[in-house]
Amino acid sequence: MTTTAPEAQRTAQQLAQDGVLSAAGTTALARLEAEAIHIIREVVAEFDRPAMLFSGGKDSVVMLHLASKAFWPGRVPFPVVHIDTGHNFPEVIDFRDRTVEQMGLRLVVGSVQDLIDTGELQERADGTRNPLQTVPLLRTIAENRFDAVFGGARRDEDRARAKERIISLRDEFGQWDPRSQRPELWNLYNGRHKPGQHVRAFPISNWTELDVWRYIAYESIELPPLYYAHEREVFHRDGMIRAVGPFSQPAPGESTQTRLVRYRTVGDMSCTGAVDSAAVNNELVLQEVAEATVTERGATRADDRLSEAAMEDRKKDGYF
C-alpha cells in the first residue's frame, strides 16, 4: 500500500533527516515488525481457517500491511472481516473497499444493522453502536468457522487489553476469561483449542501508538484522510469534539462550528471524538502523539467511558 496524498505524507529519508526516525528508532521498528510477521506466520501455519479484522482504521491497516509482507510475493492467504455498525465514517468505508479491491482480498462483513432489522439487537438509548458489535462478530466467526482471528488491539490502549496475551483463547461462547491466561514464555504461543473454541491473535500487541505512527511514516503507508488535520463541522459533548453527521447530531443548546481537527482512532461517528490539530502530515502527527498524555481511546472514545471496566466487560462477552 502506497500513499496517494503527498501533502499528508513524508518520506522515511525526510523524517530521518528531521530526527523523527533515528537509527535506534528504526531498529526498534524492525524488531516489532519481525515479531508481528512471526506471529502472523505462526498462526497461519497452525490454524485451518484464520481471518483478519480490518476496519480501515490505522491499526488494522498496519496489521494488513504486515500480513502482505509476511506472505510476499504471494497474496494474503485469508479473508478480512469488518463488523459494520452502519454508523461508520464514509471516508473509512471508502478506504476499506478500495484497499480490499487493490489487494485482491475477500471481504466478509458482519452487519449490526441487519440484526437490528431482524429484532435480534436493539438500538441503545445513547445511539452508540460500537457495543453492539459483539453479537455479529461472534456470529460471523461461527458461520465462517474461523478458528483464529487477527485483531489490531495494543496493550497500551486500555488496561483490559494490557491483560491479553498475544494468542488469546475464546471459549465455545466466544467469551474471554482474563483469569485464565496462558503463559507465553520465550515467544512460544499456545494455540491449542477445542472444537467450537477459537483464538484471537494480536500481532501488534506490544506496539505503542507512537510505534504505529513511526511505522506508518517509515513504510509510507496510506491511511484514510481523517487521520490528518482537516476542517470539519463539529460540536462539543461530554468533553469531546463530535462530528456533525447523519448519526451524530447536536442536541438543543449544543452549537456547531467548523474547526481544524483530526482523529486518533476510528469507530462509530456517534461515539468517536476528534482532537484539535494542525497535524497535516506524518511528521506533525508524530510530534503530536509523542507529546500526548492520554491514550487515543481514553481521549476520544465515548464507549470506553461508560464505566471503569467498560472495555473489559465487552471483551469478556466476546468483543475485539
Side-chain angles (χ1 to χ4, degrees):
M1 293 178 282
T2 58
T3 179
T4 59
E7 70 282 0
Q9 303 289 341
R10 294 287 297 273
T11 66
Q13 291 80 7
Q14 288 172 313
L15 290 166
Q17 289 170 3
D18 292 338
V20 177
L21 289 173
S22 65
T26 55
T27 300
L29 286 179
R31 290 172 179 164
L32 289 170
E33 180 190 68
E35 177 188 57
I37 287 174
H38 169 68
I39 292 165
I40 292 170
R41 287 173 174 167
E42 282 290 303
V43 169
V44 170
E46 188 171 348
F47 291 84
D48 295 323
R49 297 179 67 86
M52 179 171 283
L53 296 173
F54 180 69
S55 65
K58 69 180 189 309
D59 296 316
S60 65
V61 171
V62 165
M63 194 167 54
L64 185 57
H65 182 85
L66 290 162
S68 70
K69 277 196 164 190
F71 302 105
W72 182 263
R75 290 185 176 182
V76 174
F78 44 72
V80 293
V81 175
H82 183 213
I83 306 304
D84 188 352
T85 66
H87 288 181
N88 302 98
F89 288 90
E91 305 99 305
V92 179
I93 295 299
D94 290 345
F95 179 87
R96 179 202 71 181
D97 293 342
R98 180 160 48 85
T99 300
V100 166
E101 182 178 1
Q102 288 175 348
M103 297 185 67
L105 303 172
R106 180 167 75 92
L107 174 64
V108 178
V109 177
S111 172
V112 170
Q113 184 64 56
D114 286 351
L115 296 187
I116 291 174
D117 291 342
T118 61
E120 296 173 82
L121 288 176
Q122 292 185 341
E123 292 277 17
R124 294 168 49 89
D126 59 9
T128 300
R129 286 188 173 184
N130 265 27
L132 301 182
Q133 290 176 292
T134 300
V135 173
L137 171 64
L138 295 179
R139 179 167 299 185
T140 300
I141 292 171
E143 289 177 349
N144 290 273
R145 295 182 292 114
F146 296 136
D147 53 2
V149 180
F150 292 105
R154 307 186 326 268
R155 287 183 172 132
D156 76 322
E157 292 180 278
D158 184 271
R159 286 173 292 183
R161 285 181 166 171
K163 296 179 181 180
E164 195 118 48
R165 297 292 190 263
I166 298 291
I167 303 295
S168 182
L169 181 67
R170 296 298 193 272
D171 66 16
E172 292 85 349
F173 302 99
Q175 297 176 331
W176 172 65
D177 184 356
R179 296 168 299 180
S180 300
Q181 294 287 284
R182 295 165 168 176
E184 291 181 337
L185 304 176
W186 307 293
N187 294 332
L188 297 176
Y189 306 114
N190 185 350
R192 287 181 295 176
H193 61 287
K194 298 176 182 178
Q197 296 178 340
H198 72 278
V199 304
R200 308 282 173 86
F202 303 106
I204 62 171
S205 182
N206 290 328
W207 297 44
T208 66
E209 183 185 9
L210 189 58
D211 292 327
V212 169
W213 276 104
R214 282 174 172 159
Y215 192 72
I216 289 166
Y218 192 74
E219 294 283 305
S220 297
I221 298 173
E222 182 186 1
L223 293 178
L226 81 175
Y227 277 106
Y228 302 96
H230 59 287
E231 287 191 343
R232 189 179 287 265
E233 188 180 9
V234 299
F235 60 96
H236 280 270
R237 179 179 296 165
D238 298 329
M240 293 174 57
I241 302 173
R242 305 287 188 91
V244 176
F247 314 111
S248 179
Q249 289 291 317
E254 294 177 335
S255 61
T256 65
Q257 56 185 288
T258 299
R259 298 176 68 161
L260 191 63
V261 299
R262 77 173 191 88
Y263 287 84
R264 291 177 65 186
T265 184
V266 172
D268 266 12
M269 290 186 72
S270 58
C271 73
T272 305
V275 294
D276 286 312
S277 175
V280 296
N281 57 42
N282 286 329
E283 178 188 1
L284 295 175
V285 171
L286 278 165
Q287 294 172 0
E288 190 177 273
V289 171
E291 296 171 358
T293 58
V294 182
T295 69
E296 67 264 49
R297 293 194 70 95
T300 63
R301 292 294 288 271
D303 52 330
D304 290 342
R305 299 184 179 188
L306 298 175
S307 73
E308 284 291 324
M311 173 64 79
E312 183 162 329
D313 290 342
R314 296 204 304 275
K315 288 179 70 65
K316 287 179 180 178
D317 292 335
Y319 189 74
F320 306 138

